[in-house]
Amino acid sequence: MSLEEPKPTDVGETPDGNVDYAELEALLGDAVIGREEHVNAPAFVVRPDEVQQALGALREEAGFDYCSCVTAQEYEDRYESIYHLKKYDDPTQEVGVVVPTTRDEPVSQSGEAVYRTADWHEREAYDLVGIEYADHPDLRRILLPETWQGHPLGKDYNPEKPQVVPFREHANPLEPDQRGEGSESDTMFINIGPHHPATHGVLHVETVLDGEQIADVEPDIGYLHRCEEQMCQQSTYRHQIMPYPDRWDYVSAGILNEWAYARAAEDMADIEVPEYAQVIRTMSAELCRIASHMLALGTFALDVFGDFTAVFQYAFRDREVVQDILEDLTGQRLMFNYLRLGGVAWDIPEPREEFFEKVRDFLDGLPKKTQEYHNLITSNEIFQLRCVNTGELPPEVAKQYGATGPVARGSGVDIDLRRDDPYGYYEELDWDVITEDGCDNYSRVLVRMREVEESAKIIEQCVDLLEEWPEEERTIQANVPRTLKPDPDTEIYRGVEAAKGELGIYMRSDGTDKPARFKIRSPCFCNLHTLREMTEGEYIPDLIASLGSLDIVLGEVDR
Amino acid sequence: MSSEQEIHDTVSTQEARMGDGVDNRFNSKLREAFGSSPFILTKFDKFMNWVRGSSMFMLQFGIACCSIEMIHTYAIKHDLDRFGAGVPRASPRQADVIIVPGTIVSKFAPRMKRVYDQMPEPKFVVGMGSCTISGGPFQEGYNVIKGAEEVIPVDIHVPGCPPRPEALIYGIAKLQERVANGETSPVTVKPYELEQFGDLERDELVQHLADEIDEDDLVMRYNWANSP
Ligand code: SF4
């Protein structure tokens, strides 16, 4: 695009990049029956039978092309689904669409026709809360077993009730081809997982093969659904929730996840975090990102090369170093529990010089190591054969599915909340957002490898800052009351850039010290949804490579 | 005595390894057991136990957060293989130890039971982390099994959330010790079993599900009310 031509603004967008909600309301017309103020952005209350029309208008005309999350909840008198919409170009432009339904007949129109990603989100809402979506293509349970009775996050769920869970083996894997009348070939059904070395955890992929080619895949999730949202809803804001985020994306991304909760809760309760603590947070979060990307790299090499040797072991060697540093800082190797609302748990360990030296040693060694990885992996011909042009995910499709993180950036979608919706200390530092245009497995791996280098840059700058920080100004925590009780009916949705993409938290307070609704928007959940688009028509080994390059963590997919 | 003197007085590594004479150069436990003749008399059972404990094949089985630390235990630095309990096997039919590293939820328990059933006897189970003891931090979850012992018998529990790799190694070493000594795991009562749907007691829930589940489908029935 030429520079002279100003970017055309969408309906409801002011020239300086803000949202004009009055104009949006006019755009939606009769569909709107009210307006709510959430802390992150205003939300329109929309009639349950006008959902598609409202979402369609917001998407097509107002440019909200990113449905980041669908939150469902039950009130005393109604059910409610909230669609949190954003723009890929500028994620600070947000709007919510609130769809209330009655308790007697909790049916609202599905948003799936507008945003593909709503498919899984609505299935989850149906599964856990019990809202039904009209016109949904495939409304069945997603996390809990099909035979489950009741909706556990609903108000009248009885957790004491017994449940029966079937274990079915597939009777006949061979089926006549269902696609064409005259076709002679049979298809074959294969279960991959839930116990399988290439599924990165307990994922079950139901695959239908036509010869060697994949005719259909369907990820079946929920084998690690350990009620994270319920756990957070029964814990107090101030102290009890913080350990749980560590266990969502447990591949050492702990501090990144903790930050998601910290950011949402701090914005909700209006807590100002001291600058010094922000620098420490930024540094430790990026260390986590390196550890997490290293694991992605190691396991991906394991998937593609199929052995437990060099690359895998090297990646784990480097992870050990990072984990050592993080252990010095936080006291734990994996479940850090280091952030606190309003700051961090404690300062850099004494002697500080020693800690900084350790970090610097690691950073100094990193370029050589990345070179080694490039020699071993990305410039390896076999690897390239396996990964270049396989598992393609065009940018438009990625956006439809709400993909974020390295998966989106590997498809050339330039989104990174650290830059676009800045928090922490990122704004003051000098670093770049990495994108690759290949849209294939190879690009996604490259993005991660290059992001490690960017993270190293960020850490280095943070260490410089911390070293120079005057001793009297080292405040690690703001003054936060012992029990936190945000005003009743405060609602917020906030995301941060975690290792896998946008990790968002929706919270609603009811005036007590525990959230009334706590919803986790997991990047892996949305990224995994793209699997079918990436693999249909490809071969089985490409499916394994694609799954590896998505870098999912089942703890976060299932929550 | 000066410290230098002390160093000279201690036995050098080489000497220690050589033992008393050339004949005894490897000085291994086995050698010692052999004595002067190349034969040993032992009970076959005892021999087998010793063999079993010294070469354990682990199942490559990841569930949740604990599996990350489990991979670290296998990988560089901690290198579990040093203790003869090394390279993980991808197939349960080749494995004799299963480490259960994580939270077990309702949908996964029947699958885990099946994987366990597919392992050849004798088989051993190491429960890793608080989740396999009681459900850990997710104990109150509506979907979480309160410990691996509800489904399969467990020989060794390694507590922690997650246990450090060192702790897991200790747990496995303890298991090796027990296996070598021929100790069997205590009999545990497993409340949850895979059974045919048709065999379940015909209560309200079973009646309700009768159209959805075939008589001979395998199912697991959870009684959350009397869970620990
Ligand atoms: S014990 Fe802790 S670390 Fe291990 S699986 Fe459970 S929650 Fe995760």
Side-chain angles (χ1 to χ4, degrees), chain A residues 303-319:
Chain A
D303 289 341
V304 173
F305 296 136
D307 58 11
F308 258 116
T309 48
V311 186
F312 180 79
Q313 300 285 359
Y314 288 177
F316 272 76
R317 171 200 64 192
D318 295 340
R319 271 176 57 85

Side-chain angles (χ1 to χ4, degrees), chain A residues 123 126-128 140-152 157 162-168 220-227 558, chain B residues 105-111 142-145 209 212-213 218-222 224:
Chain A
R123 274 177 69 188
Y126 164 70
D127 190 355
L128 301 184
R140 55 196 165 89
R141 290 188 182 270
I142 186 167
L143 294 173
L144 290 167
E146 297 251 305
T147 51
W148 201 263
Q149 304 296 309
H151 302 278
Y157 180 71
Q163 302 280 354
V164 171
V165 176
F167 172 78
R168 292 197 182 100
D220 170 27
I221 61 176
Y223 292 95
L224 195 52
H225 173 56
R226 36 188 190 181
C227 328
D558 295 347
Chain B
V105 303
S106 69
K107 205 169 167 181
F108 192 61
R111 274 80 184 168
Y142 49 81
N143 191 28
V144 175
I145 312 294
L209 287 169
E212 281 181 60
I213 307 178
L218 290 175
V219 296
M220 208 172 250
R221 186 182 196 281
Y222 298 104
W224 302 112

Side-chain angles (χ1 to χ4, degrees), chain A residues 226 247 335, chain B residues 64-66 101-103 128-131 137-138 160-163:
Chain A
R226 36 188 190 181
R247 289 161 180 81
M335 301 300 167
Chain B
C65 352
C66 276
T103 326
M128 182 182 185
S130 319
C131 283
F138 304 101
C161 183

